[in-house]
Amino acid sequence: MESFEELGLDAALVEALAAEGLERPTAFQQAAVPVMRRGNNLIGRAGPGSGCGVAVAAALLARLDPEADATRALILAPSRDAAHRGAEALARLALSTGHRLAALGSPWALPERAAILFGTPGDLLSAVRASRIKLDELATLVVDGAATMVELGELPALEALFEIVPAEAQRILLSLPFTAEVEDLAERHVRKAVHVPPRSVGGADQRASVDRGGLGYRVAGDDRSATLLDTVASALGDDVPHVLVFFSSEDRAADLGDFLTLHGFTAGAPGDTAVPVWLAVEELEARQILKDFGGLEEVATVSCDVPGDPDALDRRHGIGSGGTVLLVPAELPHVRDCATRAGYRLTPQPEGGPPPRITSRLQQLRDRVTRALQESDLSGEFLILEPLFETHSPAEVAAAVLSLARDTAPPADVTAGRASEGRITPRPGTAWSRLFISVGSRDGIGPGDLVGAISGEAGVKGSQVGKIEIRDTFSLVEVEQGVAERVIQALNGTTLRGRSTRVDYDRGSRPGGRGGPPRGKARAPRGRSSGGGGPRAGGRPGG
């Protein structure tokens, strides 16, 4: 399809998309928007970079009544930052349609009257249970980033929301990667759904049967200009006199072309031998020009904006002497999926320069980091760290995290909320007390919430928190014996996920060995909201 008009969107919405630099729908948008506009359930194996967010936005704005004075659509996001950014992006499009939007967890006016409401599963569940948000007229529930939500410990709240939304409401679930937990969630709660892309027969591997070689990637900032400049400068040389750069729109190509020219790398149209940098939006046209040019080995290819699907990736980088994709962290799962399905081996591109001389111990640490980069799904960690990238470079953030990892004891096993229980390696001679806390998985509580509340309210270090067990209606948390009383005094009566908490020693854990059931009387006034100077009790660091 050449334009969004072919998807049946009205002219005002098409113009609003064009004003955002969105002129041609991606493969995912072409397949998904008509399905969602009809009100069908949809399961999308897609993430940032595929255009899934714009697909949801276009479908909802086209389908929902802009005059609605009640919540018509919930869009679940993995973090409060992601919810806020999603609401802002959709709000710019909604100016053309008149829909009211808001996001919980950040300053938005009258969220209870928004037709389309963003939020984390935990925040939205708390708002529904507190009767701040009514779901009687809900038409659509969107889960955007299900795998990351599971990683961040939001599965209990997500399950609860699926159970309480109206049975007739449309359900849209988007996730990349598509893990076994997400597959199970989709099978139980998103039935009779259209799969985009279509589900492979018999669960066959999506990996291409042919190996098309390597493809590099570099993590960039939001505007990508500095990384693009460095990539172009590194690629050009005696053997490679031209770099072909692909963009998502003509306006973006013109702006960044001017930026490159300003720095001495003159930019022009593909095939112009008088300039070193070629700018392209039309992939097939650029490919044909390159074939006519003849010297393919003399041209390096760069995607400044990530390709929307495997075919687009191959059209861009199946030519030339080498390829590089610039991406923001959230787009890495999408690019990795496209590369796998197109038959490319995706690898991080080195910065260049001689490697520093390091000791054997540091080399081992560096090898462990390399393995994590190559083998782990880091989308949850990216989401936690992403707000820091607005004020610090990725290199500075990585150095700070590495410093913490080397110089401090590891925190409780709550990394991205992957498990409901875990224990740090205790220091020799450490004595633990087990505490009862009167909130559990039914309240949407995750390990990160408990550690955040303990750290923020009681001033206890993460290394002083041990094993965490989250049950349906309560949780058991081990803390060092010397800080147990402080934690009890600080947390009693605070609010976690909208629930006033009661905290006491668990049976058998009271000093002196004389336990008993938790006492019913709280030690501090109820109603305080957990917060203070530490992480928010109702969320996760960076959420």
Side-chain angles (χ1 to χ4, degrees), residues 70-135:
T71 305
R72 299 285 289 151
L74 290 182
I75 301 182
L76 310 187
S79 73
R80 289 176 175 175
D81 287 333
H84 179 72
R85 290 195 307 272
E88 282 191 335
L90 206 159
R92 290 195 293 270
L93 298 177
L95 290 175
S96 67
T97 63
H99 290 82
R100 185 193 295 271
L101 285 92
L104 293 179
S106 57
W108 287 81
L110 301 175
E112 65 278 0
R113 295 182 58 189
I116 303 174
L117 183 61
F118 287 75
T120 67
D123 285 345
L124 287 169
L125 181 61
S126 295
V128 171
R129 286 177 169 172
S131 298
R132 291 176 52 211
I133 304 298
K134 305 291 185 181
L135 301 184

Side-chain angles (χ1 to χ4, degrees), residues 21-22 24-27 29 47-52 176 215-224 228 245-249 252 256 280-281 283 302-317 324-339 346:
L22 303 167
R24 175 179 296 181
T26 66
Q29 291 161 358
S50 67
C52 59
L176 200 65
L215 179 65
Y217 73 89
R218 294 186 64 177
V219 177
D222 286 339
D223 67 357
R224 308 177 200 234
L228 174 62
V245 186
F246 290 94
F247 298 90
S248 60
S249 69
R252 189 155 167 77
L256 287 175
V281 175
E283 296 152 354
V302 176
S303 282
C304 186
D305 300 307
V306 301
D309 58 79
D311 288 340
L313 183 144
D314 189 45
R315 288 195 297 268
R316 293 180 179 188
H317 300 291
T324 304
V325 180
L326 309 187
L327 51 83
V328 296
E331 293 170 336
L332 181 56
H334 166 72
V335 175
R336 182 179 286 129
D337 179 68
C338 287
L346 189 67

Side-chain angles (χ1 to χ4, degrees), residues 34-61:
V35 174
M36 292 187 286
R37 284 193 63 192
R38 290 193 297 267
N40 298 116
N41 290 350
L42 181 137
I43 296 173
R45 295 174 181 256
S50 67
C52 59
V54 172
V56 170
L60 291 181
L61 294 179

